[in-house]
Amino acid sequence: MNQRNGGRAPWWRRLGTKLFLSYLAVILTGAVVAHVVAVWVAPAAFHRHVQDMELMLQQAAQGSPTQPHLSTAMTADLYARFHQVLGEVLLGALLGAGLVAGLLSILVTYYLVRPLRAMVEASQHIAAGHYQERVPIYGSVDAPDELTELALHFNRMAENLAQIESRRREMIGNVAHELRTPLTTIQGYTEGLIDGVLPPEPATFALIGQEADRMRRLVKDLQELSRVEAGAYDLHLRRIPLKALVETAVRRLGSQFQAKGVALHIRCLAETPFVRVDEDRVLQVLTNLLGNALRHTPSGGEVVVRVQRHKAMVAVSIADTGEGIAAEHLPHIFERFYRIDASRSRTRGGSGIGLTIARRLVEAHGGEIWAESEGQGRGSVFTFTLPLDTKRE
């Protein structure tokens, strides 16, 4: 169903109905034209035939005035003329019906093929890298038929491809910039050590190590994204209480929250729900979401992790009192390479990869993930669900 446009067209405006009606129209039109041509041609043809019969009867009467009769040759000639007239009538009717039906078929075919031809041409342009190409919408957008709905989805796909391509180029630029910065720093320190300008002491080597670690984290994120996008990983599932995973993730990042002055709390169900998941992958999701909340929550703020039931699933929500997310960014927040503020540095705003990885991993476990926010400056809530495991080992 087309949620964007309020539903599909009624049955009498759908493509199947239009095809059926077009075939029926061609048949009925042909029949009507054949009838009209027959009515128009038949009187003149049969009038000529009657005149021929009268002439033949007059000739027969001259041969036998008291008992006129037709010879066998004259009877055969009479039937031949009748068949000839009938053939002329049928031929004229069929030619007229065929001509009109052919013209009508051409119009119907043009009407149906026109949007498909436009999509073929647009797809060729998109395949060549012109992602701004769009197809015209010929039908009603409020109640689209199949062809109109296809055109709408095609344009939406082209728009998404254009956005992905734009973010890919932006990401390449960001990666190049963020790799160039630590490389320049490392090169400067190295040259300083060689020239004797910098002392070869642990503090200098520690700074070089920090810059190298920045590059390592970025490359690791890119490799992880590539593996997750391609599905090139295995899930090692086992039954485990979800609360234990949450507590492990909180312990891992607890010191970072404490150092920044952000309070971190856990709110779990009294009865601990069990899930069958890959422990490392779910911990990766929790770490990504907690790290994202920490980056965007100022000192003195608060982050709350809740575990609760959500229909037949168990939900984990991470709510913060940080910057919040504007409404126009919420639909794209889990798309790869997407960053709300492209001007932020990697240490401040991330690379736009972590949330994409989190979404892929949650979906691989059969769950969902989404973000909510009341607007900028009003915090945000990231929630993901996992299937409950009610079977005991």
Side-chain angles (χ1 to χ4, degrees):
M1 177 162 299
N2 193 330
Q3 297 178 352
R4 175 180 174 182
N5 300 303
R8 298 181 60 181
W11 65 269
W12 63 85
R13 294 182 58 187
R14 295 180 185 174
L15 180 60
T17 306
K18 289 180 179 179
L19 287 173
F20 172 76
L21 293 178
S22 66
Y23 298 150
L24 186 60
V26 170
I27 294 172
L28 292 177
T29 302
V32 170
V33 172
H35 175 72
V36 171
V37 172
V39 171
W40 179 62
V41 173
F46 280 103
H47 178 70
R48 187 175 64 253
H49 172 65
V50 170
Q51 288 180 339
D52 291 340
M53 288 181 62
E54 290 178 349
L55 180 61
M56 294 174 63
L57 289 173
Q58 290 175 1
Q59 293 175 354
Q62 292 175 359
S64 177
T66 58
Q67 190 177 0
H69 66 277
L70 297 177
S71 65
T72 304
M74 295 178 67
T75 303
D77 183 64
L78 182 63
Y79 278 108
R81 289 177 179 274
F82 178 79
H83 290 157
Q84 180 182 359
V85 171
L86 184 61
E88 291 176 0
V89 172
L90 292 177
L91 179 61
L94 291 176
L95 288 177
L99 179 62
V100 175
L103 292 175
L104 182 60
S105 299
I106 292 174
L107 292 176
V108 172
T109 303
Y110 173 77
Y111 172 77
L112 296 176
V113 171
R114 180 178 54 171
L116 297 178
R117 191 179 301 278
M119 274 182 270
V120 169
E121 295 177 357
S123 64
Q124 291 174 344
H125 285 91
I126 291 176
H130 304 289
Y131 296 107
Q132 301 304 320
E133 188 75 19
R134 299 293 183 271
V135 296
I137 306 298
Y138 294 104
S140 171
V141 177
D142 296 328
D145 59 14
E146 288 83 351
L147 289 176
T148 303
E149 194 171 6
L150 178 61
L152 290 171
H153 287 303
F154 184 95
N155 286 343
R156 195 174 309 156
M157 177 198 68
E159 182 179 351
N160 291 337
L161 287 174
Q163 292 176 356
I164 291 173
E165 177 64 14
S166 176
R167 289 174 202 146
R168 184 187 67 83
R169 293 176 180 176
E170 180 183 347
M171 182 61 185
I172 291 175
N174 290 338
V175 170
H177 172 74
E178 293 170 6
L179 285 175
R180 183 171 60 248
T181 300
L183 282 173
T184 302
T185 303
I186 292 173
Q187 184 180 10
Y189 280 121
T190 303
E191 291 175 352
L193 288 171
I194 294 174
D195 297 337
V197 177
L198 294 176
E201 57 187 19
T204 303
F205 295 116
L207 291 173
I208 295 176
Q210 290 176 2
E211 297 300 323
D213 189 57
R214 282 185 62 190
M215 291 192 297
R216 182 190 61 80
R217 291 199 305 270
L218 178 58
V219 172
K220 180 181 177 182
D221 285 347
L222 293 172
Q223 289 178 332
E224 183 67 16
L225 176 64
S226 177
R227 293 177 62 235
V228 169
E229 290 278 341
Y233 61 92
D234 296 322
L235 295 177
H236 304 285
L237 305 178
R238 70 184 188 94
R239 192 171 187 267
I240 187 171
L242 186 56
K243 181 180 179 181
L245 293 176
V246 172
E247 291 175 343
T248 300
V250 167
R251 282 196 302 270
R252 287 184 179 181
L253 298 178
S255 60
Q256 298 180 30
F257 277 82
Q258 187 176 4
K260 190 175 180 180
V262 177
L264 179 58
H265 305 287
I266 302 177
R267 303 283 188 269
C268 287
L269 294 169
E271 181 182 353
T272 302
F274 281 79
V275 290
R276 187 172 296 276
V277 297
D278 187 312
E279 181 178 356
D280 293 335
R281 294 299 183 180
V282 175
L283 281 175
Q284 185 178 357
V285 173
L286 288 167
T287 302
N288 282 343
L289 296 180
L290 285 171
N292 184 70
L294 178 61
R295 278 196 302 270
H296 298 285
T297 303
S299 299
E302 182 184 37
V303 174
V304 179
V305 184
R306 289 184 174 85
V307 178
Q308 53 196 346
R309 293 290 181 91
H310 181 75
K311 299 180 181 178
M313 314 282 279
V314 58
V316 180
S317 62
I318 299 174
D320 63 65
T321 58
E323 301 168 356
I325 305 171
E328 64 267 21
H329 296 300
L330 284 174
H332 310 288
I333 200 69
F334 292 99
E335 296 177 5
R336 58 176 179 243
F337 311 138
Y338 191 84
R339 297 171 68 181
I340 295 177
D341 185 357
S343 64
R344 289 187 306 210
S345 66
R346 175 173 162 76
T347 56
R348 174 73 171 85
S351 61
I353 294 177
L355 291 179
T356 304
I357 294 174
R359 183 187 66 176
R360 295 289 186 178
L361 293 178
V362 169
E363 291 175 349
H365 283 86
E368 295 180 271
I369 187 169
W370 65 90
E372 299 171 290
S373 178
E374 296 182 359
Q376 292 182 336
R378 306 187 66 177
S380 58
V381 181
F382 285 80
T383 305
F384 69 93
T385 61
L386 295 170
L388 277 169
D389 185 11
T390 57
K391 298 180 180 179
R392 296 186 177 275
E393 296 181 342

